[in-house]
Amino acid sequence: MPKVGMEPIRRAALVEATIATIGETGSLDVTVSQIAKRAGMSSALAHHYFGGKDQIFLAAMRQILRDYSAEVRKELAKTTSHDQRAEAIIRANFADSCFDPSAVSAWMTFYGQAQTNAEALRLLTLYQRRLRSNLIQALRGRVAEPEIGAELLAALIDGLYIRVALTTPDENAEAKALAMLAQLTGDAR
C-alpha cells in the first residue's frame, strides 16, 4: 500500500535530482534511472510520477521558473518607487542563485529543448512574456516607448546571462545591464 502524503515529497525529490543531475552532466543526456537513483527511488516510481524524462525535466524547469519568480518578487518588494522596478528586475535576473551551475545547465538545456518540445517552448514563451510585461510596466513614464525599451532590455538580460553563464561567472553583468538601462532611460546615475 502506498504511503499517504509521499507523492509531493517524492516529486520534489525527483525535480531536485533532475536539476542536480543535469547540472552534473551539463546536458539532458541523462537517464530516468540516474535521476531516480540520485533521488533515492526506483526508475519505475519516477516513471509513475512523471511518465518520462521530458516530463521530469519540464517539472524541474517549472521549479526553476518558480524560484526565479520568487527572486523577482523579492527584489520588487524592496523598491520604494516605481522608478526602481526595472533595476529590481535586472538585479533578480543576475542574482547569485541564477548562476548556480545546476541552474545554468538546466537553462541552457531548456533553451535547446524549446526548439523541439512544444511544452518547453510554451514555458519559455511564458517566461519571456512575463519578463517583457514586467519591464514594460517598469519603463512606463521613464521612456517614450516602453514596449520597445522592454524588448531591448529583455534581449540584453538574456544575452548577458548566456554570455556570463558560459564564460566568466565573475563578470559584472548586472552592472552592465543597469548601465544600459540608464542609457535607455536617460538617467545619469
Side-chain angles (χ1 to χ4, degrees), residues 33-139:
S33 180
Q34 290 171 303
I35 294 167
K37 183 178 180 182
R38 186 178 205 118
M41 61 190 81
S42 71
S43 61
L45 199 53
H47 281 287
H48 169 74
Y49 286 128
F50 289 102
K53 183 170 69 171
D54 284 347
Q55 290 79 16
I56 296 173
F57 175 68
L58 290 170
M61 279 314 301
R62 284 186 199 95
Q63 182 59 52
I64 288 172
L65 288 166
R66 279 191 294 276
D67 294 345
Y68 163 76
S69 180
E71 192 75 51
V72 171
R73 286 191 309 276
K74 180 180 87 174
E75 288 298 327
L76 287 172
K78 295 177 188 177
T79 63
T80 57
S81 73
H82 182 75
D83 286 351
Q84 297 171 342
R85 291 182 62 83
E87 289 89 343
I89 294 165
I90 289 170
R91 278 193 307 277
N93 276 276
F94 294 101
D96 289 340
S97 61
C98 295
F99 292 99
D100 174 77
S102 296
V104 169
S105 291
W107 272 104
M108 296 304 137
T109 302
F110 181 53
Y111 290 135
Q113 281 290 99
Q115 294 176 6
T116 59
N117 181 301
E119 183 62 16
L121 178 60
R122 186 185 75 76
L123 284 176
L124 180 59
T125 302
L126 286 172
Y127 153 74
Q128 290 170 333
R129 285 181 183 165
R130 176 65 54 92
L131 176 60
R132 183 176 184 275
S133 173
N134 282 333
L135 288 169
I136 288 170
Q137 183 175 351
L139 293 174

Side-chain angles (χ1 to χ4, degrees), residues 1-8 10 49:
M1 176 172 269
K3 293 181 184 178
V4 176
M6 288 303 292
E7 182 176 350
R10 288 180 177 152
Y49 286 128

Side-chain angles (χ1 to χ4, degrees), residues 148-163:
I148 293 172
E151 286 295 329
L152 289 170
L153 271 179
L156 172 73
I157 288 168
D158 286 344
L160 280 174
Y161 176 82
I162 291 170
R163 180 181 291 172

